[in-house]
């Protein structure tokens, strides 16, 4: 099943991945497990098909599978790539309800969703939440927050975040420098 799913994930062929999971579940020697559903969710994320990814949760529940942080991180990523920030936040909340450790990947994807929607306050709140659970934000998280601030004309916040990035010893790239300069130009 892994070997059949891998090329579908690589090309974002989520429909075919779902069909394969369904066919495997009804006729296979081995039932699909959480790992296989995570692979199918990655195909959704690659294709920016957030709704299809989120629709997998009921399938998994019917199959009595316990979702883990990898599944949820991938689902949040699918929402993030599509700018579906409210869906991404809902999935983070569901992780807490199910007592699944919130991961850097899931938070980063939710912050990216907020950045795409220019929800700078929510992005900064998620960044602060990472600190509260003692998870160090990476360059992706900080970059997404800076971009969200840039889109919302909050140059002061963008500069503070850029300084924080530098203080952590994280390297800025051209895109990040451009976002900070753009924020300052707008301010």
């Amino acid at each position: 099943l892994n070997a059949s799913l891998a090329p579908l994930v690589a090309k974002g062929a989520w429909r075919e991945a779902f069909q394969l999971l369904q066919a495997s579940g009804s006729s296979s020697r081995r039932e699909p497990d959480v790992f296989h559903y995570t692979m199918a969710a990655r195909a959704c994320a690659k294709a920016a098909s957030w709704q299809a990814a989120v629709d997998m949760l009921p399938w998994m529940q019917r199959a009595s599978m316990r979702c883990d942080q990898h599944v949820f991180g991938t689902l949040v990523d699918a929402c993030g790539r599509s700018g579906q920030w409210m869906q991404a936040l809902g999935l983070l909340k569901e992780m807490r309800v199910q007592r699944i450790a919130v991961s850097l990947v899931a938070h980063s994807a939710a912050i990216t969703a907020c950045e795409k929607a220019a929800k700078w306050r929510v992005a900064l709140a998620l960044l602060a939440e990472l600190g509260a659970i003692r998870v160090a934000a990476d360059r992706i998280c900080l970059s997404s927050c800076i971009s969200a601030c840039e889109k919302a004309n909050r140059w002061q916040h963008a500069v503070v975040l850029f300084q924080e990035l530098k203080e952590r010893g994280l390297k800025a790239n051209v895109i990040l420098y451009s976002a900070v300069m753009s924020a300052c130009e707008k301010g």
Side-chain angles (χ1 to χ4, degrees):
L1 190 54
N2 293 355
S4 299
L5 279 170
L8 299 176
V9 171
K11 44 184 196 180
W14 62 269
R15 286 183 180 90
E16 292 87 345
F18 282 7
Q19 289 170 351
L20 183 61
L21 286 177
Q22 286 179 321
S24 295
S26 61
S27 66
S28 176
R29 297 152 285 223
R30 182 175 175 210
E31 290 282 320
D33 60 18
V34 172
F35 178 76
H36 298 117
Y37 278 91
T38 303
M39 288 181 74
R42 281 192 189 119
C44 294
K46 180 134 181 133
S49 296
W50 69 273
Q51 186 66 57
V54 172
D55 287 347
M56 281 185 16
L57 280 176
W59 284 16
M60 295 178 75
Q61 289 168 343
R62 281 192 295 276
S64 299
M65 285 184 211
R66 172 126 167 86
C67 295
D68 61 14
Q69 70 183 73
H70 302 290
V71 172
F72 273 100
T74 304
L75 297 178
V76 174
D77 181 42
C79 294
R81 291 177 187 228
S82 301
Q84 296 295 321
W85 67 278
M86 291 182 72
Q87 288 290 333
L89 294 179
L91 288 166
L92 286 180
K93 182 178 179 182
E94 184 62 24
M95 286 178 78
R96 289 184 201 96
V97 168
Q98 292 189 26
R99 297 194 170 148
I100 298 169
V102 178
S103 66
L104 177 61
V105 170
H107 257 74
S108 182
I111 289 170
T112 297
C114 293
E115 176 250 325
K116 288 182 186 234
K119 298 294 181 184
W120 67 276
R121 284 189 175 112
V122 180
L124 293 180
L126 288 170
L127 184 66
E129 193 174 285
L130 276 177
I133 60 173
R134 293 192 167 96
V135 174
D138 63 2
R139 186 177 77 179
I140 295 168
C141 290
L142 290 166
S143 296
S144 293
C145 284
I146 289 169
S147 292
C149 291
E150 180 263 331
K151 288 177 182 173
N153 298 326
R154 300 293 179 182
W155 67 270
Q156 300 96 333
H157 293 290
V159 170
V160 168
L161 289 168
F162 183 76
Q163 186 61 37
E164 183 178 335
L165 181 121
K166 300 298 272 175
E167 287 170 2
R168 290 180 185 209
L170 301 172
K171 295 187 180 187
N173 59 18
V174 173
I175 296 168
L176 190 51
Y177 279 110
S178 177
V180 172
M181 288 190 306
S182 176
C184 291
E185 283 176 353
K186 291 177 181 179

